[in-house]
Amino acid sequence: MKIQNIIGLLISITIFSCTDKLEIQAPSNLTTGSFYQTAKDIDQAVIATYDALQNQGQYGFNFMMYMDIRSDDASVESPTNVGGDYGDIDLFQLEASNSVVSNSWNSCYQGIQRCNIVLNRIGAIQMDETIKKVRIGEVKFIRALTYFNMVRLWGDVPLVLEETKDPFDFFTVGRTPNAEVYAQIIKDLEEAATALPATNDLGRATNGAANALLGKVNLTLGKWAEAVLALNKVSGYSLNADFAKNFGSANENGKESIFEVQFKANNTGEGSSYPNQVAPVGARALVGNIGTQRGENIPSKTLYDSFETGDLRRDISIGIFENRINYAKKMIEKPLTENNSDLNIIVMRFADVLLMRAEALNEQSYVANGEAFSLLNQIRNRAGLASLTSVNLPNQAAFRTAVYKERRHEFVSEFQRWFDLVRTGRAIAVMNASTSAFTVEQFELLFPIPLTAIDAINNPKILPQNPGY
């Protein structure tokens, strides 16, 4: 039995820097006994929680496979890459032995372990109490974000809220009902929203980020009033007049950005691999002739064709290389070196808040030409499209469909589509209408628990597999 195969670096206490935007350098040769002594130590431990989000198993790359490529909006150009494990995600041929899924499971729990280390130890550290409160809020936000992604990917997951000091303790932690996981996510976010400031150091979470994520969690649960309440608290952000100004390293952390996972080229291990990963095979010009191109995100023709005439977002989000193949334009720029770009990954921006508010308000009660229409039309007008009124959308169902359409076109390649399909109950119908290559079944709305975890614990009463796998 190899513990590392189950929890990866779950029990690791090695601290890594996240990005120089947070102005932290990585300490070396540190142990739990010698490290957690000062405010500086804690701050670097907090940076390590941000770093976990940057890992390949999460926003470093794999989440794109689950949240975009899994949907009808994109596919991988070469399904045999990574031994076929990416292609199996795309083509709904997933098995519990998939190495990509195992990597993400381990990465998420590594990040949760880092969060729990901070939360369990920060109380004993002598430091400025205001800063301590903020650091606790940041870590609770990151833990909530990680569990939110996990519960949507795997359903019931082990809810671990204490630092794991003995790796064998993890073998006794069973799957927690998703209602309990969601309750903890909401608790963490409510506490984070209270603790966090309206503005923070570049790249760090704010109360706006906590409330925006809380709104999304409640929207996912169908708690419309609670979603509106949280989203109404998100302030200090505004739409960029130019949609294109949200994307590319030159525009990162702008006025519309609520939370981004930070990447920095030329900072060992901190650069983004996305430009090289998603550029179509042979499209060397798109990455300045630097490195290889792997074609891991090819936007679908049906997505491209679904845009209304005059929608400015289409050609900003999707390019066509040599008139033959679509590419994820938002995610491509010239890297410094191969797999080493400044390109951040946007987790939330203000447009999402507006569309979530519009959706939640409409689900509470359809109001002809009410506030929900105003919110929806802000997004449409920015995209160069005419406003919609109750003449166009005469009832709740019509408005709901319009919001879904705007979300699809607003958030191309922004890790939104798959979860939008699942939470709105449309995934099976939409996916099966999009292809004849495979048929999506109900059980495939969740991912398999990694076989490494199943085999190591070897007790289906503690860690059973998701049905169908």
Side-chain angles (χ1 to χ4, degrees):
M1 176 189 306
K2 293 185 179 180
I3 298 170
Q4 192 172 16
N5 284 341
I6 319 164
I7 54 176
L9 297 177
L10 173 62
I11 61 166
S12 171
I13 57 166
T14 304
I15 306 301
F16 300 91
S17 68
C18 183
T19 162
D20 66 358
K21 295 170 187 173
L22 298 177
E23 298 182 355
I24 297 295
Q25 297 298 320
S28 59
N29 301 320
L30 298 172
T31 67
T32 49
S34 65
F35 183 61
Y36 300 101
Q37 303 292 327
T38 68
K40 183 178 179 181
D41 295 341
I42 284 294
D43 196 46
Q44 294 190 51
V46 171
I47 294 303
T49 68
Y50 285 95
D51 175 82
L53 298 177
Q54 192 188 62
N55 187 273
Q56 179 176 342
Q58 298 189 57
Y59 292 98
F61 190 69
N62 289 1
F63 278 3
M64 183 190 73
M65 302 304 301
Y66 313 140
M67 302 175 190
D68 279 325
I69 307 306
R70 186 75 163 173
S71 78
D72 57 328
D73 276 0
S75 61
V76 296
E77 187 177 4
S78 301
T80 58
N81 284 1
V82 193
D85 282 357
Y86 287 158
D88 287 347
I89 294 169
D90 182 18
L91 300 174
F92 286 79
Q93 297 173 348
L94 258 181
E95 296 183 359
S97 57
N98 188 286
S99 66
V100 177
V101 176
S102 178
N103 175 255
S104 293
W105 176 276
N106 290 343
S107 176
C108 287
Y109 276 114
Q110 176 187 354
I112 289 165
Q113 167 74 344
R114 294 181 183 185
C115 291
N116 290 340
I117 286 173
V118 174
L119 294 174
N120 287 1
R121 293 171 181 262
I122 192 171
I125 304 299
Q126 292 187 351
M127 58 186 294
D128 182 277
E129 290 299 317
T130 299
I131 296 175
K132 179 183 288 190
K133 179 181 177 181
V134 172
R135 297 294 175 256
I136 291 172
E138 290 178 82
V139 171
K140 287 185 175 181
F141 168 81
I142 292 170
R143 185 170 71 176
L145 174 61
T146 305
Y147 270 124
F148 185 43
N149 287 327
M150 292 192 75
V151 76
R152 291 184 294 172
L153 289 171
W154 288 290
D156 300 347
V157 294
L159 182 63
V160 183
L161 300 177
E162 296 293 329
E163 175 184 349
T164 303
K165 298 180 180 178
D166 182 344
F168 285 94
D169 289 344
F170 192 76
F171 293 109
T172 66
V173 180
R175 298 183 68 176
T176 306
N178 65 23
E180 293 181 31
V181 180
Y182 271 113
Q184 184 62 47
I185 291 168
I186 290 171
K187 181 176 184 292
D188 275 352
L189 288 174
E190 289 177 341
E191 292 174 357
T194 300
L196 288 169
T199 59
N200 206 344
D201 293 339
L202 191 64
R204 293 182 182 268
T206 62
N207 61 23
N211 280 313
L213 186 58
L214 180 59
K216 187 178 285 287
V217 171
N218 282 315
L219 195 76
T220 300
L221 296 173
K223 296 182 176 181
W224 314 122
E226 292 90 339
V228 171
L229 181 63
L231 295 168
N232 281 345
K233 295 178 182 178
V234 180
S235 62
Y237 307 92
S238 60
L239 294 179
N240 280 306
D242 181 355
F243 177 71
K245 292 296 184 182
N246 290 302
F247 313 110
S249 57
N251 299 311
E252 62 193 17
N253 302 307
K255 66 179 183 179
E256 189 170 332
S257 174
I258 295 176
F259 186 72
E260 300 182 15
V261 176
Q262 308 291 311
F263 291 91
K264 180 64 178 176
N266 204 28
N267 183 12
T268 304
E270 305 301 324
S272 169
S273 68
Y274 278 95
N276 289 107
Q277 294 276 16
V278 307
V281 175
R284 290 180 55 78
L286 296 181
V287 290
N289 296 314
I290 294 174
T292 58
Q293 312 85 49
R294 299 178 183 87
E296 304 290 9
N297 184 334
I298 305 300
S300 66
K301 183 178 185 300
T302 54
L303 170 62
Y304 186 86
D305 292 343
S306 69
F307 284 84
E308 293 177 49
T309 301
D311 192 328
L312 301 174
R313 295 171 296 192
R314 188 194 67 181
D315 294 341
I316 293 169
S317 302
I318 304 173
I320 302 178
F321 181 69
E322 295 183 345
N323 297 317
R324 64 178 179 85
I325 189 168
N326 293 346
Y327 64 91
K329 195 172 181 179
K330 287 179 180 177
M331 308 183 80
I332 296 179
E333 62 181 26
K334 181 180 178 180
L336 182 66
T337 57
E338 184 173 10
N339 298 324
N340 189 18
S341 164
D342 282 337
L343 192 70
N344 287 354
I345 291 300
I346 299 170
V347 177
M348 293 179 293
R349 54 186 174 88
F350 192 57
D352 197 4
V353 171
L354 298 183
L355 287 175
M356 288 193 292
R357 281 176 58 197
E359 182 178 343
L361 287 169
N362 180 63
E363 294 297 340
Q364 282 186 289
S365 177
Y366 171 82
V367 178
N369 300 321
E371 181 184 1
F373 277 83
S374 174
L375 296 166
L376 178 68
N377 287 328
Q378 287 183 57
I379 302 300
R380 287 182 57 82
N381 295 162
R382 200 255 300 265
L385 301 175
S387 295
L388 297 175
T389 69
S390 57
V391 174
N392 312 106
L393 309 175
N395 53 47
Q396 186 183 55
F399 190 93
R400 180 184 297 131
T401 299
V403 171
Y404 295 165
K405 181 179 179 181
E406 290 307 318
R407 289 192 63 84
R408 185 184 192 190
H409 294 153
E410 181 73 17
F411 302 119
V412 174
S413 301
E414 291 186 55
F415 299 39
Q416 300 267 16
R417 178 64 171 175
W418 174 250
F419 286 150
D420 276 353
L421 290 176
V422 172
R423 72 174 177 80
T424 58
R426 297 175 294 141
I428 294 174
V430 168
M431 292 304 301
N432 288 336
S434 72
T435 181
S436 59
F438 52 82
T439 299
V440 178
E441 299 183 44
Q442 182 70 31
F443 78 90
E444 292 174 303
L445 301 185
L446 292 177
F447 285 69
I449 304 298
L451 186 61
T452 49
I454 296 291
D455 285 349
I457 292 181
N458 195 29
N459 187 338
K461 292 182 180 180
I462 294 178
L463 194 70
Q465 182 57 273
N466 279 327
Y469 292 105

